[in-house]
Structures are given as structure tokens and as C-alpha cells.
Amino acid sequence: MDGFFELLLSCLQEIATPTGLLYVVIGTLAGVVLGAIPGLGSSTLMVVLLPISYKMDITMAMALFISITIGGMSGGCIGSILLGIPGTSSSLCTVWDGYAFTKRGEPSRALSNAVFGNFLGNVPSIILAIFACKVIGTWAVKLGPWEYAALCFCAILMVVGFSKDDMVKSMIGVGLAIFLASVGEDPINASGRFLFFGRLEFLDGFNIISVMLGLFASKIILLEYARQDKTENPVEVKVEGFRFPVADIVKNKFLIMRAWFLGVFIGFLPGLGGPVATSISYSMEKMIAKDKSMWGKGEIGGVLACETANNAAIGGALIPLLALGIPGDAACVQFIAALNVQGINVGPMFMREQPEIVYMIFIGALLSGIVVFLYQTLGMKTFPALLKIPYHFLYSTVILLSFIGAYMSTNSFYGLLVAVACCVLGVLMDCFKIPSLPFLMTYILSPMLELNIRRGLNYSANGVMSFFTRPISCIFIVAGILVTIYGFVSPAIKRAIAKKKAAAKEA
């Protein structure tokens, strides 16, 4: 335990330098700005910075990325409350009650509660993750390829099973990701696979940076520009300074506790993250509320439940990412991509082999949580100004940086062509309503899944049965299958219940 605290102190000393603090402050503020602007979000900035992170010190790069994530999640409430347009998908439910306060001239009250809810959800969940990762990481190194493969299998199926989108279309995205991840060298015998047109460039597969720049950043900008659904009108809302919401916090103390625990738990489950945590937390609190008349019309408990849950999900998502190598949400995919760029494979051995990077992420997250709280409390009056930034400047800059980064990732036009192709693919997926999160999660996990399946088959004389005779592996496989079955069956059950209620009303 002494070595554990010594490592934390060492990481704190490394990041508490002028350079380290500058990364944290700049990353946090940039995340807040992009999180506040509807349609962009901090993930876009993280994807654009992936090529640059190759030249950065890895510990500083991770501190920068986690700061952007924290700032983006906390900044999402600004657009939701002041514009009625969610800055991020995690702040969608905040609109329902937060914007009502702005319309009746009380934006400062909603913002003050949201800011404090962000802090209450963020920092305690990070502290929990620090200790939970140490325990889970110690257990994870005892697992074999059978358990690793089953864990990846379970994570992919959970993303599909808990998806609110069409299950069949989610599975199409998974299949497409597995195919694209299979292009290149065979991980066992190094033979070429799917070398289109006989081009040797495909031996390296599709670079993760080019894929994410095209499928994520460029696609989002093109679609947002094409839809033209963003407001270009200046925000004239007057926001007063931060007011410590003592009465609201005391009145909703148990609501905050429930939202925090729910956020951590939902964040821990692969592929869910903030959007699911906020929607479940909001629905649960509205359901158990004694007075439901103000929910959706300006109930401060709705703001606190949403913002506490989505920030608590960050700490929950870091646990499977750092202890097991399983991305908890879309932001964690960028962390894995950044580490892969540096030649670091994230998995159950990550905490043992690279503990300084793991705890640098935790220290950066804690410092970023403090920085964003200080900025949002001291600079609340500047919030309307963040929403006046011209979109055409941001869109053109992001597109330019995306294609430059795609070229830099391979130092050839091959990376640029992959990014353009993935941008087209992303637009087509959006047109056909194929969700991108199952695709991205599967693309990240597919190499680990394939490698461990083949190792497990080679190491055992029982073949496939070895995955079911080992208890932990069997539990993961069965859990993934049950979640998938639930995803297929639950809509039918809900429709049957709705029909039954409708028939009862008619009777």
C-alpha cells in the first residue's frame, strides 16, 4: 500500500509542474468550450489531437485527454440550460428542466446546481476508480486468453444489447467493424488478409487514427453543416455569478447520492456511459418523486440528477478501461487509440506494466475536476459568450485538422484516403441509422478478441469447450448472450404491455 501512495505522489509531482498544469488547464477549458457548443463535443477535439499525441510525452498526452473529457462533460450543461440545445448527448435530459429556468429568468440557479452536481459526480467517482482499479487489476492479471476473449465478447454484446437503436443494425455495425479490423497481417502467422487490389499498403490495416478522424470528426462536421439546425443568433441571456446552492443541495441530498451510485454503475458497464446514466437517473427520480407536477417544467432535482449521474459515469468508465482494457464509453475509445499510437496495448496487464500512465490519468482527472469547478464558479458570467463562437470557423478548422492529422498518421496519402473513405462510410451509416458506438467499440476490441480466441484454442485440447469449462469465461459469455437476448425481447415485451394498457383503457 505504501508503494501505491508513493506512485500517486510521484505522478502528482510530475503533473504539478508548469508544463503539466498548463496541459490540464488548457485541456479542461477547451473541453468546456466544445462541450458547451451543440454538435461538437470534446470527443471531436480528442480525435483531432490523436496524430499530435504521437509526438507528445505519453503521460502528458493522457493528462491532456482526460482533462478534455472532464471539461467536455461538465460544459455540456451550458448549451442545455441557456439554449435548450444539449451541448453533448449526456446533457440531453438536462434540457427538460434546465432550460425552463432560463425561460423564467433564473439561469444562474440552474447553472449553479449543474456546476455543483458536476463536481459532486466527478471527483468522488475518480477517487473510487483509483482504488477499484487497483483491486480489479490485481485480479485481472490472473486471467488467461479464455477469460480475455470472453470479456471482449461480453463487452461487444453488451454494447449491442443495451443499445436503444435497432438491434439488427447494431449487429451490422459490429460485423462491419470485425471485417475492417481483419484487414492486414494475421496476428498469428503474419500472412496478408484482404489485400485489396494486391496493394501492400493494406498489410498495415486501417490506421485507427484515420478511421476515427473520418468516421467521427469529419462525419460529424459534415452532417451538422448539412443539417443547418444550429442557432446562429447571439445569446442574450444574462447570467449572474455562481451562487452556492445550499438549500437545493440539502433538499436533494438523497437524490444526489442515488444519481451518483447509478452513474458509477452505468459507467462501469461497457458502451453505456453518460447518456444512458442521465436518462435512467432522470426517469428513476421522476418516478419516485412525491410531486411530479414540476418535472419537465423547471424541477431543480432534474438538473442535479442528470449532471451528477453523467459526471459520475466518467469514474465508472475508467475502471474497465484501465483495469481490463475495455472502453466504458465513446471517450474511452479515444484513450485506447492514443495509447495504441504510442505502441501501448491496453489490457489486463496494463496496470502492472505501465502504472505511471494509469495514475497520471487519475491525477489529471482529479486536477481537471478542480480546474473546471473553479472556472465554472468564478467565470459563470462568461458562459453566454462561449455560445457566440461562429460555427463556420470551428467547422472549417476541424475539417482541416482532421485531414492533416490523417496524412500525418501514415505520412502518406493512404491515411488520407482511409479517412475520406471512413467519412463516407460514417455518412452512409448515419443515413441507414447504423449506430457508430457499437462499430467503434468492436473495431477497438476485435484484434484482442481474435488473438485471444486463437490462443485459447491453441492452448487447450478441448477446443471451443475450454471457453465454457472455465467458470469466469463461461460467466462472461453467458452474460453477453443474456444481455443480447434481453435487447431483442424487451421491445416486444414493452409493446405487449402497452397494448394491454391501451385495451384496458378502452374497456
Side-chain angles (χ1 to χ4, degrees):
M1 186 61 72
D2 291 339
F4 169 67
F5 287 109
E6 286 178 5
L7 184 58
L8 281 176
L9 183 59
S10 174
C11 292
L12 177 60
Q13 290 174 341
E14 184 175 351
I15 203 173
T17 61
T19 303
L21 292 176
L22 185 63
Y23 275 118
V24 171
V25 171
I26 291 178
T28 302
L29 296 182
V32 171
V33 172
L34 290 182
I37 298 174
L40 286 182
S42 59
S43 293
T44 305
L45 177 60
M46 290 172 64
V47 173
V48 172
L49 290 177
L50 279 177
I52 303 174
S53 67
Y54 179 75
K55 299 292 185 181
M56 295 172 59
D57 176 77
I58 183 60
T59 54
M60 289 294 113
M62 290 299 100
L64 175 65
F65 276 22
I66 191 62
S67 300
I68 293 172
T69 301
I70 299 292
M73 186 67 77
S74 301
C77 66
I78 298 174
S80 298
I81 293 173
L82 296 184
L83 289 179
I85 303 174
T88 63
S89 57
S90 298
S91 297
L92 174 63
C93 299
T94 307
V95 173
W96 299 338
D97 288 288
Y99 189 51
F101 283 95
T102 298
K103 290 192 290 186
R104 67 185 188 216
E106 298 181 273
S108 297
R109 183 186 175 193
L111 286 171
S112 296
N113 278 274
V115 166
F116 202 72
N118 291 338
F119 182 77
L120 291 176
N122 185 358
V123 174
S125 70
I126 302 282
I127 295 173
L128 173 67
I130 292 175
F131 293 97
C133 277
K134 179 175 174 58
V135 175
I136 296 176
T138 302
W139 165 78
V141 296
K142 302 176 183 179
L143 304 179
W146 306 272
E147 287 80 15
Y148 295 165
L151 183 60
C152 293
F153 177 79
C154 179
I156 292 172
L157 290 186
M158 288 184 72
V159 174
V160 175
F162 286 129
S163 174
K164 292 183 178 180
D165 303 285
D166 189 323
M167 289 281 291
V168 174
K169 292 180 179 179
S170 295
M171 293 299 292
I172 292 174
V174 169
L176 182 60
I178 292 175
F179 169 69
L180 293 180
S182 300
V183 175
E185 285 188 342
D186 186 287
I188 301 296
N189 56 34
S191 61
R193 301 187 300 193
F194 303 110
L195 303 184
F196 303 107
F197 312 109
R199 301 293 300 183
L200 296 180
E201 288 89 345
F202 290 104
L203 273 174
D204 295 327
F206 297 121
N207 185 280
I208 182 63
I209 293 178
S210 298
V211 171
M212 296 191 69
L213 284 171
L215 189 67
F216 201 84
S218 302
K219 182 208 76 170
I220 287 176
I221 297 302
L222 287 178
L223 291 178
E224 293 297 331
Y225 181 79
R227 288 168 182 152
Q228 289 289 313
D229 58 353
K230 300 292 179 287
T231 178
E232 293 286 353
N233 298 322
V235 180
E236 301 298 341
V237 179
K238 183 179 179 181
V239 177
E240 300 175 354
F242 175 81
R243 296 178 181 177
F244 189 72
V246 180
D248 291 331
I249 298 298
V250 172
K251 179 182 178 182
N252 295 282
K253 55 184 180 295
F254 295 113
L255 177 150
I256 293 171
M257 293 179 189
R258 290 191 296 268
W260 185 86
F261 281 109
L262 183 63
V264 171
F265 176 73
I266 295 297
F268 180 82
L269 299 176
L272 300 186
V276 177
T278 53
S279 60
I280 294 178
S281 179
Y282 185 90
S283 300
M284 183 182 73
E285 294 302 331
K286 182 179 180 180
M287 180 179 64
I288 65 177
K290 294 181 180 179
D291 182 8
K292 299 179 176 62
S293 60
M294 290 302 295
W295 284 80
K297 302 176 183 178
E299 171 58 51
I300 203 63
V303 176
L304 283 169
C306 294
E307 293 305 312
T308 303
N310 64 24
N311 279 266
I314 296 176
L318 288 177
I319 298 173
L321 169 68
L322 300 176
L324 302 171
I326 303 296
D329 57 15
C332 291
V333 175
Q334 276 95 39
F335 281 99
I336 292 181
L339 289 166
N340 288 345
V341 167
Q342 297 281 347
I344 298 173
N345 293 319
V346 182
M349 293 298 293
F350 181 42
M351 286 198 67
R352 174 168 289 189
E353 296 174 350
Q354 302 284 347
E356 65 281 356
I357 298 177
V358 172
Y359 291 108
M360 183 63 74
I361 293 175
F362 285 134
I363 296 298
L366 289 174
L367 292 178
S368 178
I370 296 171
V371 169
V372 74
F373 181 68
L374 291 175
Y375 165 66
Q376 290 187 326
T377 52
L378 300 177
M380 186 172 287
K381 292 182 179 180
T382 65
F383 285 180
L386 300 180
L387 304 174
K388 297 180 182 179
I389 300 176
Y391 291 104
H392 54 276
F393 289 139
L394 289 171
Y395 288 173
S396 57
T397 301
V398 171
I399 288 288
L400 180 63
L401 290 176
S402 296
F403 289 129
I404 291 175
Y407 181 85
M408 289 172 57
S409 65
T410 58
N411 288 323
S412 69
F413 279 101
Y414 171 68
L416 185 59
L417 291 175
V418 171
V420 173
C422 288
C423 181
V424 174
L425 175 64
V427 173
L428 291 175
M429 288 173 62
D430 190 81
C431 291
F432 290 103
K433 306 298 182 184
I434 298 175
S436 59
L437 182 57
F439 175 92
L440 287 174
M441 295 280 284
T442 306
Y443 190 81
I444 287 290
L445 294 176
S446 183
M448 185 191 301
L449 175 64
E450 179 191 2
L451 182 61
N452 284 292
I453 286 177
R454 296 177 67 176
R455 283 178 176 173
L457 293 174
N458 289 336
Y459 294 168
S460 174
N462 297 328
V464 177
M465 286 305 299
S466 59
F467 289 92
F468 295 92
T469 55
R470 299 174 70 93
I472 296 177
S473 172
C474 183
I475 289 173
F476 282 137
I477 293 174
V478 172
I481 293 173
L482 289 177
V483 170
T484 306
I485 293 173
Y486 167 79
F488 278 110
V489 172
S490 61
I493 296 175
K494 290 179 181 178
R495 286 194 296 268
I497 294 174
K499 288 181 180 179
K500 188 175 180 180
K501 289 182 178 179
K505 288 183 179 179
E506 291 178 359

